[in-house]
Amino acid sequence: MKAAVITSFGEPSVLQVAEAPRPVPGPGQVLARVRAAGVNPAEILARAGAFRLRAPAIIGFEFAGVVEAVGPGVDEGMVGDRVAGWPDSATQGSYAEYTVSSNFATIPDGVSFEEAAATVIGADNAARGLGLLNLRPGETLVVTGASGALGGAAVQFTRQRGVTVIGVAGTANADFVKSLGAIPVAHGPGLVDRIRAVAPDGIDAALDTAGKGLLPTLVDLLGAPDRIVTLADRDAARYGVAFSPGGSGNRDRGPVQEALNLIAAGAWTARIGRSFPLDEAADAHRLVATGHTHGKVILLP
């Protein structure tokens, strides 16, 4: 198969398309023909060597595709099903024509592969972070990075549950954040005052998906760190804030299935910024690294 194979970690140029062995599904796994793969900040870190993966490595932490074969213990009737989920190995990932997975949701009719691949990590991480906040209908939540994949998922899950959402994002994304059901507020100096102006009755909780040093501002806004969760800021402990990073040990297909079903029902937006062919994976990484993608960046193996 073709894959973006990393033989040494470093700059985006280390993503080189080459021939690689097609993986074989083991017990409980399916072999999926990858039709779309999300490109995420965590993969930027992995490519640069932050996770100390062993080379040669094929990265890519979410996919959407079609089941081509199944391993022992998996119903052979699944062959041909459209699925979206996580590759089982950090070094046998979705930047390839094929990957193997045991953790995935079913893609409903009417949902594209690109939309499905753009939803997996965002829906899972957002739902986990929201769960830690124990939100109740009628409360008000601030979401930072509200126009991104994580923030957008958080806004949409929260609005489904009757919570008012204030979405912090750049002014260029204000209309999109509003379309998701949030009250848009521009980031930058004076953020606390702008949030208080649109929420005179106060804020009950905050979810940080941006990871851009906003935790002191959120603590100031709420008066305490108790109901603040960050999905992206590793300095959380310094401010007494809960940090909930994603990883292989806490992935839940349930929220992914819920989000995919909502897309099919026309009640959820999966925003696609730009799609790249596999041999332009390096350019996809360069774009994600800018932080100005205006939607999810997708690879099409």
Side-chain angles (χ1 to χ4, degrees), residues 79-112:
V79 173
D81 285 359
R82 302 194 320 143
V83 297
W86 300 266
D88 280 352
S89 168
T91 56
Q92 187 68 65
S94 56
Y95 291 13
E97 291 182 314
Y98 295 89
T99 194
V100 291
S101 174
S102 60
N103 195 1
F104 49 82
T106 301
I107 304 175
D109 292 342
V111 180
S112 71

Side-chain angles (χ1 to χ4, degrees), residues 12-41:
S13 59
V14 302
L15 290 164
Q16 295 288 328
V17 172
E19 292 293 319
R22 182 185 301 185
V24 176
Q29 293 181 322
V30 301
L31 173 69
R33 171 65 170 93
V34 179
R35 297 292 301 275
V39 182
N40 299 281

Side-chain angles (χ1 to χ4, degrees), residues 20 60 67 73 122 139 145 195 203 211 232 257 260:
V67 176
E139 290 192 316
I195 292 175
I203 302 298
Q257 191 67 66
L260 294 175

Side-chain angles (χ1 to χ4, degrees), residues 89-286:
S89 168
T91 56
Q92 187 68 65
S94 56
Y95 291 13
E97 291 182 314
Y98 295 89
T99 194
V100 291
S101 174
S102 60
N103 195 1
F104 49 82
T106 301
I107 304 175
D109 292 342
V111 180
S112 71
F113 289 114
E114 291 90 342
E115 288 174 318
T119 302
V120 175
I121 288 177
D124 172 50
N125 285 336
R128 187 184 64 257
L130 292 171
L132 294 172
L133 290 171
N134 298 311
L135 293 163
R136 295 177 292 275
E139 290 192 316
T140 299
L141 170 75
V142 170
V143 174
T144 68
S147 63
L150 288 180
V155 169
Q156 294 181 90
F157 273 139
T158 308
R159 293 298 297 137
Q160 292 285 330
R161 289 153 176 75
V163 173
T164 298
V165 188
I166 296 170
V168 178
T171 54
N173 288 306
D175 288 343
F176 174 69
V177 171
K178 186 175 181 180
S179 77
L180 298 181
I183 301 167
V185 172
H187 62 61
L191 177 60
V192 169
D193 291 338
R194 286 193 294 278
I195 292 175
R196 286 177 175 158
V198 299
D201 294 330
I203 302 298
D204 298 292
L207 180 67
D208 172 41
T209 74
K212 295 182 177 180
L214 291 174
L215 294 185
T217 300
L218 296 177
V219 172
D220 181 27
L221 179 68
L222 273 78
D226 304 25
R227 294 194 73 193
I228 303 173
V229 170
T230 179
L231 302 177
D233 195 330
R234 295 184 179 275
D235 285 337
R238 179 179 173 187
Y239 305 103
V241 171
F243 175 43
S244 182
S248 58
N250 60 7
R251 293 169 177 166
D252 183 356
R253 74 186 79 181
V256 178
Q257 191 67 66
E258 179 182 355
L260 294 175
N261 292 343
L262 288 169
I263 294 173
W268 181 289
T269 300
R271 188 188 192 195
I272 309 300
R274 185 175 171 188
S275 297
F276 291 81
L278 183 63
D279 60 5
E280 295 179 15
D283 289 334
H285 271 225
R286 292 184 184 103

